[in-house]
Amino acid sequence: MESPWDELALAFSRTSMFPFFDIAHYLVSVMALRHKPGAAAMAWKNPLASWFTAMLHCFGGGILSCILLAEPPLRFLANHTNILLASSIWYIIFFCPCDLVSQGYSFLPVQLLAAGMKEVTRTWKIVGGVTHANSYYKNGWLVMIAIGWARGAGGTVITNFESLAKGDWKPEGHEWLKMSYPAKVTLLGSVIFTFQHTKHLAISKHNLMFLYTIFIVATKVTMMITQTSTVSFAPFEDTLSRMLFGWQQQFSCEKKNEAKSSSNGTGSLASKPADDSSDKVKKKHAKKTE
Amino acid sequence: MESPWDELALAFSRTSMFPFFDIAHYLVSVMALRHKPGAAAMAWKNPLASWFTAMLHCFGGGILSCILLAEPPLRFLANHTNILLASSIWYIIFFCPCDLVSQGYSFLPVQLLAAGMKEVTRTWKIVGGVTHANSYYKNGWLVMIAIGWARGAGGTVITNFESLAKGDWKPEGHEWLKMSYPAKVTLLGSVIFTFQHTKHLAISKHNLMFLYTIFIVATKVTMMITQTSTVSFAPFEDTLSRMLFGWQQQFSCEKKNEAKSSSNGTGSLASKPADDSSDKVKKKHAKKTE
Amino acid sequence: MESPWDELALAFSRTSMFPFFDIAHYLVSVMALRHKPGAAAMAWKNPLASWFTAMLHCFGGGILSCILLAEPPLRFLANHTNILLASSIWYIIFFCPCDLVSQGYSFLPVQLLAAGMKEVTRTWKIVGGVTHANSYYKNGWLVMIAIGWARGAGGTVITNFESLAKGDWKPEGHEWLKMSYPAKVTLLGSVIFTFQHTKHLAISKHNLMFLYTIFIVATKVTMMITQTSTVSFAPFEDTLSRMLFGWQQQFSCEKKNEAKSSSNGTGSLASKPADDSSDKVKKKHAKKTE
């Protein structure tokens, strides 16, 4: 006999994403596209390119995971129902008379509902990616993490490459490195679900899905209400970083410092901030001389 | 018993592309490469890179369709006969003494013949792509259109990426969006052949191939003789665009316009030209301040 | 009965790359990454991105060959032992207290040993790539050359694309064209091993592996000791280039020269240097006016 909680989690984990959660996902994705400068004008001038970009925004994670597993990147086009759904939403958002949808979407409760439902699809995607990767590589847990991550948050990568090809996006080293909040939370989820899948976490899948979904929905809604663009994982990251990479700083490196003064500081570890800034200076210098 | 017309079309649809039409295709492709600034000098300095670029120009569509279906992009290298043919043509064009081929090619009739024959290969490629995609995804008509399109006109995409990697090509949002004439006519053909393949068009395949080929060859030759760089699909496109996207403009959006004056016009639909130009101004502004 | 030489070569060709040669390869690859400006600071700020870049440096050739054969590019992640080895080396190099590894690596004998052992893995990779490609395309010798080349020297291509995506690397037409020394020597090896595999070279595989390895190790060590960055293949290349592409210059092209004076020299072959420089001038001009 199962507890009511278990039953609830089980029922939740069997919820179908199609159609309502998928609609929310497409709505949020296409609205994000729409709010980019020039997107509305582009849709008028070249509807086909705009539609293509919208599809990349909607199905980007799936495309990236297909590329990484050497499956046809076009496979998403074979799912006619979802394409039709996404296309309809793209059509309504960009071409609805009087821009009704955009106006409706500007109400905060609508946005909260859509964003919350979109986050639910993220859990399903991560789980799908992890399971799918497992069918390729038994116990290849690194691949499982990567595919779960790609499917859950890979849309950004695909759309960034699309912007790069269009020339809209000038990448900068530092931006590429900084992971966005969704990327971080998806990575976390991907790791957790992979460990669950390889039986290293003693929790049933439906419970984990339920808890993780509650966590990401709650975080997302909080972020939107409080207008903060990121929930900081900073303390957690700091601890982990200090555990993994910081213990060396205890050592006194006199030999090192002597070496450093002669070799002009390439690769100093003990004096991170100084090194960091000197690197920046060097870079600026290099750019100026170019 | 078949009519003479049917027999003609059938015989035509059984014509082998190899070797004469393939030669014409390689000739036109490599001559297009040759006329790029710096190509001749590059062939002397680095024949291998020049050969590689020439192969991309000749087999680009096939490579792109391979990538999209997750087949080995290198497969074209396994067809030794065609590689040998294309390489010979590359060699003759770039290294022929006294530049005889280029001079021969500068006569209009030769160009017309080569360009016309190249257009014939386009039909064969579209049909091949559509049929091939159908073997992957039964009734996946979107995939069929995409693969037919990629194989018929995908060379441009591949060569653009090659230029991007070389740094020769600075992409701009607007150029990427504008489809060239071959891209448009190939898309049209791909759509038609897909509908024929899925039995939505009551015309036999060989008749359709014959008609479509006549159409694209005639258009191409006309374009070359009259020196226009594009045959305008403008009236057709305008009608389609107005049917699909223009009907909303009939609505009077007073509420919208009020909203617009307050929200500073992000995403106005009814007043497209104004929006468009303001977007452009914004972009220019953004570039200047960078 | 086999000669001692044969026995030696056979024993050598059966040496396992794992773990020592692999370690040397990872060590050299990650040290190359480490010496890039900003790499040490980046490892502190974003260990995950640094780790990912390090893996690309270590497994780049394999990834490229996977992409070219439409195999999952993530497959390298499934080999946990090698990933663990590479990750450990990355960790030690970037986070070792007092930077001991970097200091140890700065001694020339250590560098020579590591670089020599890395070159040995190159032979194994080329042979592996050629054999693997042969299992796809029987007698597809062009594919075999390409895959052997990609696996042996493809890391540079992958890391260049990574820099491109990061915005660190502004590609220039001329740099892309110039092949580095490892690319050249790997191409040579790939051609030789392919011909051996298709029985066009009457030498046993283990002998060829032994000889080729001795050649590349000796060249590499010589280059490092004499501080030259390249062993010049120039005489060999010149001869080949003159044989293949230079014979046309004997012809007197009076007709050509007349044509040239009128057509302003697009595509002159007989007068290469002039053409070359005028092309450069044109390019500079174009850049200035942009």
Side-chain angles (χ1 to χ4, degrees), chain B residues 147-167:
Chain B
I147 296 297
W149 194 15
R151 212 179 266 190
T156 339
V157 177
I158 291 284
T159 47
N160 276 355
F161 268 99
E162 193 240 341
S163 313
L164 181 68
K166 266 193 202 164

PDB file of all heavy atoms in Angstrom, chain B residues 147-167:
ATOM      1  N   ILE B 147      15.181  18.042 -46.670  1.00  0.00           N
ATOM      2  CA  ILE B 147      16.317  17.339 -47.262  1.00  0.00           C
ATOM      3  C   ILE B 147      16.405  17.640 -48.764  1.00  0.00           C
ATOM      4  O   ILE B 147      17.500  17.859 -49.308  1.00  0.00           O
ATOM      5  CB  ILE B 147      16.211  15.827 -47.002  1.00  0.00           C
ATOM      6  CG1 ILE B 147      16.292  15.539 -45.505  1.00  0.00           C
ATOM      7  CG2 ILE B 147      17.319  15.073 -47.724  1.00  0.00           C
ATOM      8  CD1 ILE B 147      17.583  15.939 -44.875  1.00  0.00           C
ATOM      9  N   GLY B 148      15.245  17.659 -49.429  1.00  0.00           N
ATOM     10  CA  GLY B 148      15.266  18.030 -50.844  1.00  0.00           C
ATOM     11  C   GLY B 148      15.863  19.408 -51.046  1.00  0.00           C
ATOM     12  O   GLY B 148      16.687  19.640 -51.936  1.00  0.00           O
ATOM     13  N   TRP B 149      15.479  20.301 -50.171  1.00  0.00           N
ATOM     14  CA  TRP B 149      15.992  21.673 -50.245  1.00  0.00           C
ATOM     15  C   TRP B 149      17.496  21.699 -49.971  1.00  0.00           C
ATOM     16  O   TRP B 149      18.268  22.341 -50.695  1.00  0.00           O
ATOM     17  CB  TRP B 149      15.248  22.519 -49.221  1.00  0.00           C
ATOM     18  CG  TRP B 149      15.407  23.986 -49.396  1.00  0.00           C
ATOM     19  CD1 TRP B 149      15.885  24.640 -50.500  1.00  0.00           C
ATOM     20  CD2 TRP B 149      15.077  24.987 -48.440  1.00  0.00           C
ATOM     21  NE1 TRP B 149      15.868  25.997 -50.268  1.00  0.00           N
ATOM     22  CE2 TRP B 149      15.378  26.226 -49.021  1.00  0.00           C
ATOM     23  CE3 TRP B 149      14.557  24.970 -47.149  1.00  0.00           C
ATOM     24  CZ2 TRP B 149      15.167  27.426 -48.350  1.00  0.00           C
ATOM     25  CZ3 TRP B 149      14.346  26.161 -46.492  1.00  0.00           C
ATOM     26  CH2 TRP B 149      14.651  27.371 -47.084  1.00  0.00           C
ATOM     27  N   ALA B 150      17.894  20.989 -48.908  1.00  0.00           N
ATOM     28  CA  ALA B 150      19.309  20.995 -48.535  1.00  0.00           C
ATOM     29  C   ALA B 150      20.161  20.432 -49.665  1.00  0.00           C
ATOM     30  O   ALA B 150      21.214  20.978 -49.998  1.00  0.00           O
ATOM     31  CB  ALA B 150      19.522  20.168 -47.266  1.00  0.00           C
ATOM     32  N   ARG B 151      19.688  19.328 -50.279  1.00  0.00           N
ATOM     33  CA  ARG B 151      20.521  18.728 -51.302  1.00  0.00           C
ATOM     34  C   ARG B 151      20.562  19.587 -52.555  1.00  0.00           C
ATOM     35  O   ARG B 151      21.584  19.659 -53.236  1.00  0.00           O
ATOM     36  CB  ARG B 151      20.000  17.331 -51.630  1.00  0.00           C
ATOM     37  CG  ARG B 151      21.139  16.423 -52.017  1.00  0.00           C
ATOM     38  CD  ARG B 151      20.699  15.041 -52.322  1.00  0.00           C
ATOM     39  NE  ARG B 151      20.780  14.165 -51.173  1.00  0.00           N
ATOM     40  CZ  ARG B 151      20.624  12.848 -51.267  1.00  0.00           C
ATOM     41  NH1 ARG B 151      20.377  12.279 -52.425  1.00  0.00           N
ATOM     42  NH2 ARG B 151      20.716  12.105 -50.201  1.00  0.00           N
ATOM     43  N   GLY B 152      19.450  20.257 -52.844  1.00  0.00           N
ATOM     44  CA  GLY B 152      19.416  21.070 -54.066  1.00  0.00           C
ATOM     45  C   GLY B 152      20.116  22.402 -53.932  1.00  0.00           C
ATOM     46  O   GLY B 152      20.741  22.881 -54.873  1.00  0.00           O
ATOM     47  N   ALA B 153      20.028  23.012 -52.766  1.00  0.00           N
ATOM     48  CA  ALA B 153      20.570  24.372 -52.636  1.00  0.00           C
ATOM     49  C   ALA B 153      21.443  24.543 -51.411  1.00  0.00           C
ATOM     50  O   ALA B 153      21.786  25.665 -51.051  1.00  0.00           O
ATOM     51  CB  ALA B 153      19.425  25.385 -52.591  1.00  0.00           C
ATOM     52  N   GLY B 154      21.848  23.444 -50.761  1.00  0.00           N
ATOM     53  CA  GLY B 154      22.560  23.556 -49.499  1.00  0.00           C
ATOM     54  C   GLY B 154      24.021  23.945 -49.645  1.00  0.00           C
ATOM     55  O   GLY B 154      24.670  24.275 -48.666  1.00  0.00           O
ATOM     56  N   GLY B 155      24.534  23.887 -50.884  1.00  0.00           N
ATOM     57  CA  GLY B 155      25.936  24.233 -51.080  1.00  0.00           C
ATOM     58  C   GLY B 155      26.266  25.617 -50.572  1.00  0.00           C
ATOM     59  O   GLY B 155      27.322  25.834 -49.973  1.00  0.00           O
ATOM     60  N   THR B 156      25.315  26.550 -50.760  1.00  0.00           N
ATOM     61  CA  THR B 156      25.548  27.920 -50.311  1.00  0.00           C
ATOM     62  C   THR B 156      25.770  27.971 -48.811  1.00  0.00           C
ATOM     63  O   THR B 156      26.651  28.694 -48.334  1.00  0.00           O
ATOM     64  CB  THR B 156      24.333  28.798 -50.658  1.00  0.00           C
ATOM     65  OG1 THR B 156      23.595  28.181 -51.699  1.00  0.00           O
ATOM     66  CG2 THR B 156      24.775  30.176 -51.065  1.00  0.00           C
ATOM     67  N   VAL B 157      24.958  27.217 -48.078  1.00  0.00           N
ATOM     68  CA  VAL B 157      25.073  27.231 -46.620  1.00  0.00           C
ATOM     69  C   VAL B 157      26.457  26.733 -46.204  1.00  0.00           C
ATOM     70  O   VAL B 157      27.154  27.360 -45.400  1.00  0.00           O
ATOM     71  CB  VAL B 157      23.965  26.347 -46.004  1.00  0.00           C
ATOM     72  CG1 VAL B 157      24.111  26.288 -44.496  1.00  0.00           C
ATOM     73  CG2 VAL B 157      22.599  26.866 -46.385  1.00  0.00           C
ATOM     74  N   ILE B 158      26.866  25.607 -46.795  1.00  0.00           N
ATOM     75  CA  ILE B 158      28.165  25.026 -46.454  1.00  0.00           C
ATOM     76  C   ILE B 158      29.299  25.993 -46.793  1.00  0.00           C
ATOM     77  O   ILE B 158      30.197  26.231 -45.981  1.00  0.00           O
ATOM     78  CB  ILE B 158      28.344  23.699 -47.212  1.00  0.00           C
ATOM     79  CG1 ILE B 158      27.385  22.635 -46.676  1.00  0.00           C
ATOM     80  CG2 ILE B 158      29.769  23.204 -47.138  1.00  0.00           C
ATOM     81  CD1 ILE B 158      27.794  22.043 -45.363  1.00  0.00           C
ATOM     82  N   THR B 159      29.250  26.573 -47.981  1.00  0.00           N
ATOM     83  CA  THR B 159      30.347  27.466 -48.369  1.00  0.00           C
ATOM     84  C   THR B 159      30.333  28.743 -47.528  1.00  0.00           C
ATOM     85  O   THR B 159      31.382  29.310 -47.263  1.00  0.00           O
ATOM     86  CB  THR B 159      30.282  27.799 -49.862  1.00  0.00           C
ATOM     87  OG1 THR B 159      28.949  28.150 -50.211  1.00  0.00           O
ATOM     88  CG2 THR B 159      30.680  26.601 -50.684  1.00  0.00           C
ATOM     89  N   ASN B 160      29.133  29.170 -47.095  1.00  0.00           N
ATOM     90  CA  ASN B 160      29.093  30.328 -46.208  1.00  0.00           C
ATOM     91  C   ASN B 160      29.773  30.025 -44.886  1.00  0.00           C
ATOM     92  O   ASN B 160      30.518  30.846 -44.356  1.00  0.00           O
ATOM     93  CB  ASN B 160      27.642  30.753 -45.947  1.00  0.00           C
ATOM     94  CG  ASN B 160      27.124  31.656 -47.040  1.00  0.00           C
ATOM     95  OD1 ASN B 160      27.863  32.037 -47.941  1.00  0.00           O
ATOM     96  ND2 ASN B 160      25.858  31.988 -46.970  1.00  0.00           N
ATOM     97  N   PHE B 161      29.529  28.827 -44.360  1.00  0.00           N
ATOM     98  CA  PHE B 161      30.174  28.470 -43.099  1.00  0.00           C
ATOM     99  C   PHE B 161      31.671  28.358 -43.287  1.00  0.00           C
ATOM    100  O   PHE B 161      32.437  28.733 -42.403  1.00  0.00           O
ATOM    101  CB  PHE B 161      29.600  27.163 -42.550  1.00  0.00           C
ATOM    102  CG  PHE B 161      28.465  27.404 -41.616  1.00  0.00           C
ATOM    103  CD1 PHE B 161      27.162  27.279 -42.042  1.00  0.00           C
ATOM    104  CD2 PHE B 161      28.713  27.813 -40.320  1.00  0.00           C
ATOM    105  CE1 PHE B 161      26.110  27.533 -41.180  1.00  0.00           C
ATOM    106  CE2 PHE B 161      27.669  28.073 -39.450  1.00  0.00           C
ATOM    107  CZ  PHE B 161      26.360  27.932 -39.889  1.00  0.00           C
ATOM    108  N   GLU B 162      32.072  27.863 -44.438  1.00  0.00           N
ATOM    109  CA  GLU B 162      33.497  27.775 -44.712  1.00  0.00           C
ATOM    110  C   GLU B 162      34.121  29.190 -44.723  1.00  0.00           C
ATOM    111  O   GLU B 162      35.180  29.403 -44.140  1.00  0.00           O
ATOM    112  CB  GLU B 162      33.701  27.093 -46.062  1.00  0.00           C
ATOM    113  CG  GLU B 162      35.106  26.659 -46.344  1.00  0.00           C
ATOM    114  CD  GLU B 162      35.623  27.328 -47.577  1.00  0.00           C
ATOM    115  OE1 GLU B 162      34.816  27.820 -48.383  1.00  0.00           O
ATOM    116  OE2 GLU B 162      36.846  27.391 -47.724  1.00  0.00           O
ATOM    117  N   SER B 163      33.429  30.134 -45.365  1.00  0.00           N
ATOM    118  CA  SER B 163      33.941  31.506 -45.376  1.00  0.00           C
ATOM    119  C   SER B 163      33.961  32.092 -43.971  1.00  0.00           C
ATOM    120  O   SER B 163      34.877  32.816 -43.599  1.00  0.00           O
ATOM    121  CB  SER B 163      33.067  32.395 -46.259  1.00  0.00           C
ATOM    122  OG  SER B 163      32.804  31.792 -47.479  1.00  0.00           O
ATOM    123  N   LEU B 164      32.931  31.743 -43.190  1.00  0.00           N
ATOM    124  CA  LEU B 164      32.860  32.228 -41.815  1.00  0.00           C
ATOM    125  C   LEU B 164      34.072  31.738 -41.022  1.00  0.00           C
ATOM    126  O   LEU B 164      34.731  32.508 -40.323  1.00  0.00           O
ATOM    127  CB  LEU B 164      31.565  31.719 -41.177  1.00  0.00           C
ATOM    128  CG  LEU B 164      31.274  32.137 -39.744  1.00  0.00           C
ATOM    129  CD1 LEU B 164      30.990  33.613 -39.668  1.00  0.00           C
ATOM    130  CD2 LEU B 164      30.094  31.364 -39.180  1.00  0.00           C
ATOM    131  N   ALA B 165      34.383  30.458 -41.184  1.00  0.00           N
ATOM    132  CA  ALA B 165      35.519  29.889 -40.471  1.00  0.00           C
ATOM    133  C   ALA B 165      36.826  30.521 -40.934  1.00  0.00           C
ATOM    134  O   ALA B 165      37.764  30.679 -40.167  1.00  0.00           O
ATOM    135  CB  ALA B 165      35.568  28.375 -40.671  1.00  0.00           C
ATOM    136  N   LYS B 166      36.873  30.869 -42.215  1.00  0.00           N
ATOM    137  CA  LYS B 166      38.086  31.493 -42.744  1.00  0.00           C
ATOM    138  C   LYS B 166      38.200  32.950 -42.342  1.00  0.00           C
ATOM    139  O   LYS B 166      39.253  33.554 -42.453  1.00  0.00           O
ATOM    140  CB  LYS B 166      38.034  31.448 -44.269  1.00  0.00           C
ATOM    141  CG  LYS B 166      38.715  30.263 -44.892  1.00  0.00           C
ATOM    142  CD  LYS B 166      38.844  30.565 -46.352  1.00  0.00           C
ATOM    143  CE  LYS B 166      39.001  29.331 -47.173  1.00  0.00           C
ATOM    144  NZ  LYS B 166      38.753  29.595 -48.573  1.00  0.00           N
ATOM    145  N   GLY B 167      37.072  33.538 -41.903  1.00  0.00           N
ATOM    146  CA  GLY B 167      37.085  34.947 -41.568  1.00  0.00           C
ATOM    147  C   GLY B 167      36.884  35.844 -42.773  1.00  0.00           C
ATOM    148  O   GLY B 167      36.997  37.063 -42.675  1.00  0.00           O
TER     149      GLY B 167
END
